[in-house]
Amino acid sequence: MSATTVAVLGLGVMGGGIAGRLLDGGVRVRVWNRTAQRGAALEQRGAVHARTPRAAAQGADLVLVSVADGAATEEVLLGPNGVLTAGPVDAVLASASTIAPQSLAVVRERTPRVLDLGLLGNGEHARTGALRIYVGGSAEDLARVRGTLDLLAKEVLHVGGPGDGMRLKLLMNTLMGIQVQAMAEATALGESAGLDRGVVLDAITAGGFATPVMGYKARRLVSRRYGDPDFRLRLMTKDLALAVAEAQSGGLGLPLVEAALATHAEAVRRGDGDLDCAAISRTVGGADEKGPRL
């Protein structure tokens, strides 16, 4: 089944891309964003631009929330003018924000059909329907909106019950954070020994040790351009912290992740939080990386 009307709440890199993809697919789209100007271009393309999350959700079969963190998700769903202010909704409510897996427990008490969606990809993947979506929740709720999710993704994987889609997403983001920092450190080590930065990064990405995300982020490292972020460093920091907290709740230690979290927290402290996550190179890379925030 597919949703005929979708409300997209949050029009950042991912939410805006998703809304555009749905419009391209002929879906009726209702949108809301905290800063209203982000909805203007989508409104020109045919989306209904609502003034509040609650108004956007009215009449939707699927309400998809894509905001920065748990606090923003709670505000959109449970705050004044939130989706659930007046009670449960008939729609499937899908949280696509990367938040603590247990954060939606209260929401599930307030409305019957809730999915957590772990989105893997960037804004370009969202715009072209090439995301990977990891779903937590019931098979019945997923079936109600599966056709719509298929429009957004090259893979839709039902991982398990409530929170499981987000758990898998956190695992994947944790791997990305560690890999990008490791590549930045290897590059810094090479430069400190007198090797050319470009040669080092070419060797890393051409060898058998690099993942696709390392190849993608290496382009930012070689140019030292971290503006116009695909994924902000402060959001990577948030996700590493969520992974550490999830591990600790199960009595598990993650020493490598904890070390990466400390480095990312320092990068945010020194003002790099709104740069691309590849800007972790500015914290590990020594004096050569302390230039302007491009």
Side-chain angles (χ1 to χ4, degrees), residues 251-277:
L252 178 66
L254 299 177
L256 187 57
V257 182
E258 291 168 9
L261 172 58
T263 309
H264 281 70
E266 172 61 18
V268 172
R269 187 199 65 76
R270 61 193 293 275
D272 288 349
D274 282 322
L275 299 179
D276 188 82
C277 64

Side-chain angles (χ1 to χ4, degrees), residues 123-143:
E124 179 63 21
H125 294 134
R127 288 188 293 273
T128 59
L131 295 168
R132 297 183 189 275
I133 302 181
Y134 304 136
V135 184
S138 76
E140 293 76 14
D141 291 343
L142 173 57

Side-chain angles (χ1 to χ4, degrees), residues 80-184:
N81 295 311
V83 174
L84 301 177
T85 302
V89 293
D90 292 330
V92 174
L93 196 159
S95 175
S97 310
T98 306
I99 57 179
Q102 65 274 19
S103 293
L104 293 177
V106 173
V107 175
R108 287 186 164 96
E109 294 173 356
R110 299 277 294 271
T111 195
R113 288 176 285 276
V114 180
L115 299 173
D116 52 276
L117 308 182
L119 305 184
L120 199 66
N122 55 35
E124 179 63 21
H125 294 134
R127 288 188 293 273
T128 59
L131 295 168
R132 297 183 189 275
I133 302 181
Y134 304 136
V135 184
S138 76
E140 293 76 14
D141 291 343
L142 173 57
R144 289 168 63 102
V145 297
R146 178 64 188 252
T148 304
L149 298 184
D150 284 339
L151 180 63
L152 301 173
K154 61 183 177 183
E155 179 187 25
V156 177
L157 176 64
H158 187 200
V159 180
D164 286 347
M166 197 51 55
R167 290 183 177 95
L168 185 54
K169 170 62 186 299
L170 280 176
L171 182 156
M172 301 301 285
N173 275 16
T174 297
L175 281 173
M176 179 170 74
I178 291 170
Q179 289 169 2
V180 174
Q181 180 170 329
M183 180 169 62

Side-chain angles (χ1 to χ4, degrees), residues 8 24 26 45-46 58 85 88 104 136-137 145 189 233 248 253 270 280:
V8 181
D24 290 342
R45 294 178 56 188
Q58 290 176 353
T85 302
L104 293 177
V145 297
L189 176 61
L233 194 149
Q248 289 175 343
R270 61 193 293 275
I280 194 65

